[in-house]
Amino acid sequence: MTFRMGLIAHASSAVLVATVALFSAPFVLAQSTSDGQVSPIVEERDFGVWLQDLRLDARRQGISEATLDAALTGIEPIQRVVELDHKQPEFTQTFWGYMDKRVNDGRVKRGRDLLKQHAALFNRIEKEYGVQGRFLVSFWGLESNFGDFTGGFSVITALATLAFDPRRDDFFRNELLTALKIIDAGHISVDRMKGSWAGAMGQCQFLPSPFARFGK
């Protein structure tokens, strides 16, 4: 399999996962209107009340009051996060339209160059984890364009927004609590924890749970 095929294989997996998530997800609070726009979050629940319940849950899991104050004080749902959640390209583009925008000659060449440049590192990773470097570079290229775009959203606020929206609230609540634990453990400060609208972080855009399980 060539490096280009590695990129295609990763994108295919992303589309499959997104499609499964779409058809298994419950009804969403922020609904799409007839012109395709996403309406604001319906105020059927009070975010402040929800946030207090989250803090209680976080305390039970051992997260310090100082971390909760630093991370959660004054936050509000981000409507743009909800809009982006409903307009993921996996749902709005054809497969080849999605692919043509993400797998191009320039990205493939850069990926091959980086694979050679960091060959020793990728060889060590393959020996320890059994994952070939070409697949890791494919993730790297597709997820953040090799680190060029890692996201500018507050991970905590983005995850709180998605956890408040009942479409996938349990999943994102767990990710939010894990993100708070990462901060509480001293790995990163609240203000430096930036990422995508979905709360993914870093060069390969890991959600908090994979980071907590596999990060070193």
Side-chain angles (χ1 to χ4, degrees), residues 1 3 35 54 56 70 74-75 77 94 102 112 130 163 177 183 189:
M1 182 184 289
F3 177 74
D35 61 0
L54 177 81
L56 289 173
I75 68 170
T94 65
R102 288 159 180 80
R112 286 173 174 162
L177 289 167
I183 294 169
S189 62

Side-chain angles (χ1 to χ4, degrees), residues 3-58:
F3 177 74
R4 180 184 291 273
M5 288 305 295
L7 282 168
I8 291 174
H10 169 53
S12 300
S13 298
V15 172
L16 176 61
V17 170
T19 302
V20 170
L22 174 66
F23 286 102
S24 63
F27 184 74
V28 65
L29 186 59
Q31 303 179 40
S32 297
T33 60
S34 58
D35 61 0
Q37 299 298 310
V38 178
S39 64
I41 294 177
V42 180
E43 296 296 335
E44 293 180 356
R45 298 186 298 164
D46 184 273
F47 183 72
V49 172
W50 177 87
L51 201 58
Q52 287 302 315
D53 179 71
L54 177 81
R55 289 181 70 119
L56 289 173
D57 195 5

Side-chain angles (χ1 to χ4, degrees), residues 10-197:
H10 169 53
S12 300
S13 298
V15 172
L16 176 61
V17 170
T19 302
V20 170
L22 174 66
F23 286 102
S24 63
F27 184 74
V28 65
L29 186 59
Q31 303 179 40
S32 297
T33 60
S34 58
D35 61 0
Q37 299 298 310
V38 178
S39 64
I41 294 177
V42 180
E43 296 296 335
E44 293 180 356
R45 298 186 298 164
D46 184 273
F47 183 72
V49 172
W50 177 87
L51 201 58
Q52 287 302 315
D53 179 71
L54 177 81
R55 289 181 70 119
L56 289 173
D57 195 5
R59 290 190 198 102
R60 286 193 291 267
Q61 296 190 30
I63 299 169
S64 71
E65 200 67 33
T67 292
L68 296 177
D69 285 342
L72 302 178
T73 299
I75 68 170
E76 296 289 343
I78 305 172
Q79 183 59 35
R80 180 60 176 158
V81 167
V82 178
E83 293 170 357
L84 290 169
D85 187 34
H86 284 257
K87 295 181 180 179
Q88 294 181 59
E90 294 88 350
F91 304 155
T92 59
Q93 298 176 11
T94 65
F95 174 76
W96 289 113
Y98 179 90
M99 290 298 304
D100 288 344
K101 290 185 177 180
R102 288 159 180 80
V103 182
N104 54 59
D105 291 342
R107 182 169 284 180
V108 170
K109 182 183 183 303
R110 187 178 177 191
R112 286 173 174 162
D113 291 343
L114 288 167
L115 188 60
K116 292 178 181 177
Q117 179 182 341
H118 301 289
L121 173 61
F122 287 123
N123 287 336
R124 290 201 305 272
I125 292 171
E126 182 176 353
K127 288 179 181 177
E128 184 170 354
Y129 296 102
V131 180
Q132 296 178 25
R134 57 185 174 172
F135 297 117
L136 296 176
V137 174
S138 297
F139 274 97
W140 189 14
L142 282 169
E143 292 295 338
S144 69
N145 197 34
F146 307 107
D148 290 347
F149 308 106
T150 57
F153 285 93
S154 161
V155 167
I156 294 298
T157 311
L159 289 173
T161 301
L162 294 167
F164 180 61
D165 186 334
R167 186 162 77 113
R168 292 178 287 174
D169 52 349
D170 288 342
F171 174 82
F172 283 110
R173 186 184 184 94
N174 179 66
E175 293 301 327
L176 175 56
L177 289 167
T178 304
L180 291 169
K181 291 175 184 177
I182 290 170
I183 294 169
D184 205 44
H187 293 295
I188 193 169
S189 62
V190 175
D191 61 313
R192 291 185 60 238
M193 193 181 241
K194 301 290 186 180
S196 74
W197 61 264

